Amino acid sequence: VTIHRTSEENDILKRFGQRLKALRKARALSQEELAEKAGFSRSYYTEIERGKRNVSILNIVKLAECLEVPLQTLLDFSESD
Amino acid sequence: VTIHRTSEENDILKRFGQRLKALRKARALSQEELAEKAGFSRSYYTEIERGKRNVSILNIVKLAECLEVPLQTLLDFSESD
């Protein structure tokens, strides 16, 4: 499936993925550990961190719970420029 | 399509919908106006407010932009109990 996204949309997904990765590393969790904790496949989780998935609010909430951070902290990815 | 969600998941989507509705009303926008601004169909938008849609991060960002609020403000729906 080819998904067409604007560069702005790709940028949002990438920044979210980077934020997620930083929080995961701060908790010394591997991708595999966090994926399993959240009930995601490893490949799906990896794609989220790479900014390839337009993740849903329920999965965002689940990730925040697994990272034990408020939703706002996970969504705190400001513009890069 | 029947979608099975837990009551906790339904609760999250409902609280998000209520938050969205409150912010829309605070800006004196009708459902139709906000839907059009965001590029959503009226029926899709209505379902989000009713907590029936597991909205994606790109659509959440779009709604926050249309409401001219930070993402964190839109996602600030705390536990109801």
Side-chain angles (χ1 to χ4, degrees):
Chain A
V1 183
T2 305
I3 297 166
H4 295 287
R5 293 191 181 118
T6 66
S7 62
E8 197 196 356
E9 287 173 336
N10 281 323
D11 187 53
I12 290 165
L13 297 181
K14 271 191 187 161
R15 283 188 281 116
F16 175 72
Q18 285 162 0
R19 179 71 176 148
L20 177 61
K21 185 178 184 174
L23 290 168
R24 172 179 62 75
K25 293 206 159 190
R27 272 142 200 83
L29 289 168
S30 68
Q31 289 190 331
E32 207 141 25
E33 287 167 335
L34 183 50
E36 193 180 2
K37 211 172 167 188
F40 300 163
S41 70
R42 166 75 187 273
S43 64
Y44 173 65
Y45 179 78
T46 306
E47 287 189 2
I48 298 174
E49 276 197 7
R50 289 174 57 229
K52 299 294 179 195
R53 292 291 192 139
N54 187 9
V55 58
S56 73
I57 188 167
L58 290 178
N59 283 348
I60 296 169
V61 168
K62 204 176 283 177
L63 288 167
E65 284 172 356
C66 291
L67 291 166
E68 295 173 27
V69 295
L71 200 53
Q72 282 84 350
T73 301
L74 180 53
L75 271 303
D76 183 19
F77 55 93
S78 49
E79 304 290 334
S80 39
D81 26 287
Chain B
V1 183
T2 306
I3 296 166
H4 295 286
R5 295 192 179 116
T6 67
S7 63
E8 196 196 357
E9 288 173 334
N10 281 324
D11 187 51
I12 290 165
L13 297 182
K14 270 191 189 162
R15 283 188 281 115
F16 174 73
Q18 284 162 1
R19 179 72 176 146
L20 177 61
K21 184 177 183 174
L23 289 168
R24 172 179 62 76
K25 292 205 160 189
R27 272 139 201 85
L29 289 168
S30 67
Q31 289 190 330
E32 207 141 25
E33 286 166 334
L34 182 51
E36 194 179 4
K37 212 174 166 186
F40 299 163
S41 70
R42 166 75 187 272
S43 64
Y44 174 65
Y45 179 79
T46 306
E47 287 189 2
I48 297 174
E49 276 198 7
R50 288 174 56 227
K52 299 295 178 193
R53 291 291 191 140
N54 187 9
V55 59
S56 73
I57 188 167
L58 291 178
N59 282 347
I60 295 170
V61 168
K62 204 175 281 177
L63 287 167
E65 284 172 355
C66 291
L67 290 166
E68 295 173 28
V69 294
L71 201 51
Q72 283 84 347
T73 301
L74 180 53
L75 271 305
D76 182 20
F77 54 94
S78 50
E79 304 289 334
S80 40
D81 22 288

